[in-house]
Each structure stands twice: as structure tokens, then as C-alpha cells.
Amino acid sequence: MRLGDMQQTPRNLINGRWEIGTTTGVSTNPSDTREVVAEYARADRNQTEQAIRAAADALPYWSQSTPQRRADVLDQVGNELLARKDELGTLLAREEGKTLPEAVAEVARAGQIFKFFAGEALRIQGELMASVRQGVQVDVTREPVGVVGIVAPWNFPMAIPAWKIAPALAYGNTVVFKPAELVSACGWALAEIIHRCGLPAGVFNMVMGSGREVGQTLVEHPLVNAVSFTGSVATGERILRSATLRRAKVQLEMGGKNPLVVLADADFEQAIDCALQGSYYSTGQRCTASSRLIVEAPVHEAFVARLRQRLSTLKVGHALERGTEMGPVVDSHQLAHNQSYLDIARNEGAEHVWGGELLERPTPGHYMSPALFLAQPEHRIAREEVFGPVACVLKADDYDHALALANDTPFGLCAGICTTSLKRAMHFKRHAAVGMTMVNLPTAGVDFHVPFGGRKESSYGPREQGRYAAEFYTTVKTGYMLA
């Protein structure tokens, strides 16, 4: 089914059937708020429970299906995503607001993820080990964890669901997927493709609706064995408290306040490019965005001046317009949130260098210019995640001071450094208190076949992506047998 054939109201997928909801929600285009992208069916607690029961009923069959069966399904999903990346990328750009090239690339990434896990379904490994006892054989195997509840964010509405759904299905689990309401059309488009790729009824389900009703039901239901969530720290902490009370497995990705360290010996223009891309592309709406730019004193003044100049020429506009480098903020609530942090920064004494103004464009949308401040480590703008096109610069006396500032945060997702010193680069990679490091690269930009995740308040539970995804989506069984 093509998007031109999309139902007037995208529906929930429950036990192999498309079901209407109890209420209807609306997603709009942040580049042109006059345009309704979709009117979608919102599920309630009862429909969410039906989806969970369907997933539980389908688990015995799917968990015992052959690896080839699972691989074929995932490969087919990946192929269709890649074949339709331009069409689906246009939908993504319309609904979420990232630029069209970024949106098309995200859909392609989702396709690559499904194809990667098609291969992983054929590579599920175990171990055969000698026992310490004579005549006893020991084997260690991986089995599906069970019914997996997936709660995905709005900022990567294709890629993040893909890197949760694909491994869940590859390892024999069944799924109940809740997309973010802001991107329900993207969630439906992905679910529709998965549904047509030969899965038995109940193996994959999708329910759209509020976190308070749909999300909470997923988290609290006794038949849901594992919950994977990406979103805010506050919501993640509530999920952790609720799910662990009943001993469910939990995986959380909750954001970051990522540093990019720029040393005096860095390639100057390369460092500026890393800062610009990492801080402002995707409108800064990435958990890996480098919102803290820590610059060594000898190049601090020149760095700020050059970045300001680059920001002044950054083209902000409609996500589908050719040449747009930064699209709109996702919705009015996020825009107001961003603006409130500009006021906080000014009130606390941070120096406003550039931007932050609301912008008018030919179409009504949630536009703001990229903002830059000079801050002190104690300023809230240097400590709290804004999740928008807002960054601050901190001055470092030397490398040791820069490293201390980089680690002075409750978050620990990603950290980058720009330097030509191999010694400093290697030291930084070892001593940055994060889950991922970048050297002479933007902090935002990761591969799909390696682990993704952080430390401290950024993450909880096993890593996502790559073969490390097996740590969350499977459980280990040790078997003993008298030979």
C-alpha cells in the first residue's frame, strides 16, 4: 500500500486487524501548520490490553519459528523501506520537520537496520562448554525474552522504532509498539509495511495514543516481559519504577547534554563544521546533539566569532524546500520550551551571542533561528537538556580543564573532541565518562551495527543496536546434561 492510499484515519494494528480507536488525534506539519498530515485513531487502555494479549498468544509460535522464517520477514521489510525511502522520507519531513535529505537518509537507515537484523536472526549463538564434573555436558543458549513493549520518541520516527522492533522480532519476541503521537503517520507507515511482510497475527501490534493511557498500560501489564523506551529522563524514571516493581526487563535511552571539546591544535574549520552539524542539524532535536561546546582558551574568541558567522548564514526554512539546512521545531510546545531556556540563560547571566528569534517564513510554522550563548558551568543552559537548536560555549584553560568540564554533567551519552594530537584523542576516549566518543566528528551521527547507549542519567539497561541488542531482547539459559 502506498501513502497515497493511506486510510483517512490511520488505525491501530491489533492481532492482525486494523482497528479504529476510541478517539481521533491529529498530526500537523510543523513547516506549515495549516496542513493536517494525518487524523489517526487513538487507542485506549482496553485496546492496548487486547494488543498485549494478542502478542502473548502469538509468542509460542513465533518464538519457536525458524531463524530463516524471521530473517525473510525482516529482509522484506528492509527492502521495502529502501525502495520507498524518497516517498517515506517526504512523509517524515512533513510530519516531524527535519529536512528532506535528513528524512530520506533516516528511512534508508531504518531499512538497513531491518536488513542487518535479518542477518542476526541467522547468527544467534550459544556455547557448548565442558563441565567441572566428569561426564556432564553444559550448553548456554539464548531464548526470546517474551512480549516486548516499545515506546518510541518523535525525533527519529523511523530509525528508532526500527532499531527496537527489528531485533525484538529477530530474536523471536512478539511486539506491541507505541509510536509518539506527533508522528503517528510515520508509525502507521512502518507498521503497515511490517504487517504486509508475512507475520502471523499478533506477532507485531501497534497502538497509538497517549503515554498516560497506552504507554502506562504497556509498562504496567503483567504479560509484558520487557519495555524499551526512548524519551525524557522524567518519563524514563517513571517507567523504571513501575516496570521493575513487577520484575520486567527495562531498557531506557533518556537524552544527553553532550560536550564537544575543541583544543587549540584542532583543524579550525573542521571543528566549526563538527560544532555546527552536531549542535544544530535536525534542529538540535537529537539526544546526541553537542549542546556544550568546550573550547580551549587560545582559540575561544576566534571559534565563537566564526561559529556566529556560520550561524548567520544557516538557512532555516520549510523542511521540503531545496537548500534548507535547518527545519522547524517539531511543535508549539517544544518551541515554547526552547524559548523559555533562552530567557533562563539571559536571566542567569549567560551572554547571548546569536539567534533564538522566532522567524516568519512564507508558510506558518514553528521556526526559530539557531541560538548560541557563552555560559558558565553552573548555568542551567550548560547543564539541562533543551532539545532544540540551542548551544552554549564554555571556555577551558587547557586540556585537563576541558576534560573536567566535559565530565561535569549528570548525563553521559556521547562526547566529542577536535584535536590533531593522537595522545589527547586517546586519553579523551578513555577518560570521557560516556557511552560513545567521537574524534574529529560531530557528536550526532552513529552507525547502526555497533552499540548505542550511554551512562549516568542518559541510559539504563543493555545497549541498543548491533549484536549487543541480544543482551536485552534475549534471556540466557544454562543447560546441564549427563553425557
Side-chain angles (χ1 to χ4, degrees):
M1 184 182 294
R2 297 286 160 170
L3 295 180
D5 303 321
M6 183 189 291
Q7 312 160 60
Q8 180 63 28
T9 303
R11 300 184 178 188
N12 300 292
L13 179 61
I14 301 173
N15 201 21
R17 297 186 298 273
W18 296 104
E19 303 283 356
I20 62 172
T22 55
T23 58
T24 300
V26 175
S27 70
T28 58
N29 185 343
S31 295
D32 185 349
T33 53
R34 300 168 300 183
E35 180 189 1
V36 173
V37 178
E39 297 178 354
Y40 60 92
R42 302 177 81 238
D44 60 8
R45 181 177 292 272
N46 180 59
Q47 287 178 305
T48 306
E49 289 178 346
Q50 290 176 25
I52 293 168
R53 286 193 294 271
D57 290 342
L59 182 63
Y61 170 80
W62 186 247
S63 65
Q64 297 172 37
S65 61
T66 66
Q68 188 64 59
R69 173 85 167 85
R70 301 197 293 269
D72 289 345
V73 168
L74 296 176
D75 193 56
Q76 187 176 341
V77 174
N79 286 338
E80 182 163 347
L81 286 168
L82 291 171
R84 296 174 58 190
K85 65 180 186 296
D86 293 329
E87 172 198 4
L88 294 167
T90 300
L91 171 66
L92 198 163
R94 286 173 56 221
E95 190 169 48
E96 193 270 345
K98 64 182 56 175
T99 64
L100 183 58
E102 289 179 316
V104 172
E106 181 182 334
V107 176
R109 172 59 58 90
Q112 292 163 343
I113 290 167
F114 271 95
K115 291 181 73 64
F116 173 84
F117 281 106
E120 287 299 282
L122 298 171
R123 290 190 289 265
I124 301 173
Q125 297 180 350
E127 295 177 275
L128 184 63
M129 305 172 69
S131 173
V132 297
R133 292 172 289 172
Q134 187 69 34
V136 176
Q137 178 178 295
V138 180
D139 60 63
V140 180
T141 56
R142 290 191 176 273
E143 297 184 355
V145 71
V147 176
V148 179
I150 291 173
V151 183
W154 51 261
N155 63 322
F156 284 89
M158 290 287 185
I160 291 180
W163 81 47
K164 295 176 185 291
I165 295 167
L169 296 177
Y171 295 118
N173 303 283
T174 55
V175 171
V176 181
F177 165 49
K178 179 201 171 315
E181 289 200 84
L182 286 174
V183 289
S184 291
C186 288
W188 173 85
L190 180 59
E192 195 273 334
I193 292 172
I194 295 171
H195 174 60
R196 284 188 293 98
C197 287
L199 288 173
V203 171
F204 174 78
N205 307 269
M206 182 196 66
V207 281
M208 300 175 287
S210 73
R212 288 187 302 274
E213 197 162 6
V214 175
Q216 188 170 345
T217 303
L218 275 176
V219 170
E220 296 177 349
H221 202 284
L223 292 179
V224 177
N225 305 105
V227 177
S228 181
F229 166 81
T230 298
S232 71
V233 172
T235 302
E237 288 177 343
R238 288 196 296 271
I239 289 173
L240 183 62
R241 286 193 294 269
S242 296
T244 53
L245 280 175
R246 58 181 187 82
R247 306 297 188 268
K249 205 169 185 179
V250 180
Q251 179 185 65
L252 305 175
E253 291 297 339
M254 299 176 289
K257 193 67 179 174
N258 309 291
L260 176 69
V261 170
V262 179
L263 297 185
D265 67 357
D267 181 311
F268 190 74
E269 289 301 320
Q270 182 182 66
I272 291 291
D273 286 339
C274 287
L276 189 72
Q277 293 181 36
S279 302
Y280 299 104
Y281 280 29
S282 296
T283 322
Q285 296 171 157
R286 300 185 283 195
C287 58
T288 52
S290 44
S291 53
R292 291 189 301 141
L293 305 171
I294 301 169
V295 184
E296 198 172 9
V299 294
H300 177 270
E301 186 175 341
F303 179 90
V304 173
R306 177 61 172 149
L307 183 57
R308 182 185 186 278
Q309 189 275 325
R310 290 288 300 274
L311 290 175
S312 70
T313 63
L314 192 71
K315 183 177 179 182
V316 181
H318 196 295
L320 297 179
E321 184 179 340
R322 184 182 297 273
T324 294
E325 295 173 284
M326 191 180 95
V329 174
V330 70
D331 71 351
S332 60
H333 298 291
Q334 185 65 45
L335 183 62
H337 174 83
N338 296 349
Q339 293 294 308
S340 73
Y341 267 91
L342 305 185
D343 293 336
I344 290 169
R346 294 186 185 99
N347 292 337
E348 290 188 341
E351 181 182 340
H352 180 218
V353 175
W354 179 260
E357 299 87 2
L358 299 179
L359 301 176
E360 291 188 3
R361 291 295 181 262
T363 54
H366 308 303
Y367 299 106
M368 67 176 283
S369 62
L372 182 66
F373 286 84
L374 302 184
Q376 297 299 319
E378 66 272 14
H379 289 158
R380 288 177 62 187
I381 200 169
R383 302 199 65 79
E384 300 175 8
E385 186 177 40
V386 180
F387 215 69
V390 181
C392 65
V393 179
L394 304 173
K395 184 188 290 187
D397 299 332
D398 52 25
Y399 168 74
D400 290 334
H401 186 209
L403 177 61
L405 288 173
N407 287 334
D408 181 22
T409 171
F411 294 99
L413 182 57
C414 187
I417 187 169
C418 292
T419 180
T420 55
S421 167
L422 179 60
K423 177 182 177 180
R424 295 299 192 203
M426 295 300 292
H427 188 274
F428 186 84
K429 288 173 65 178
R430 174 64 182 85
H431 294 280
V434 294
M436 299 178 289
T437 59
M438 306 285 183
V439 177
N440 296 323
L441 290 166
T443 58
V446 298
D447 290 355
F448 62 85
H449 67 301
V450 293
F452 178 95
R455 295 158 64 170
K456 300 189 278 189
E457 290 187 12
S458 287
S459 304
Y460 177 88
R463 292 287 190 261
E464 298 195 272
Q465 299 203 92
R467 62 184 179 87
Y468 285 81
E471 298 302 321
F472 179 71
Y473 292 101
T474 66
T475 184
V476 172
K477 177 182 286 183
T478 305
Y480 297 87
M481 183 172 66
L482 185 62

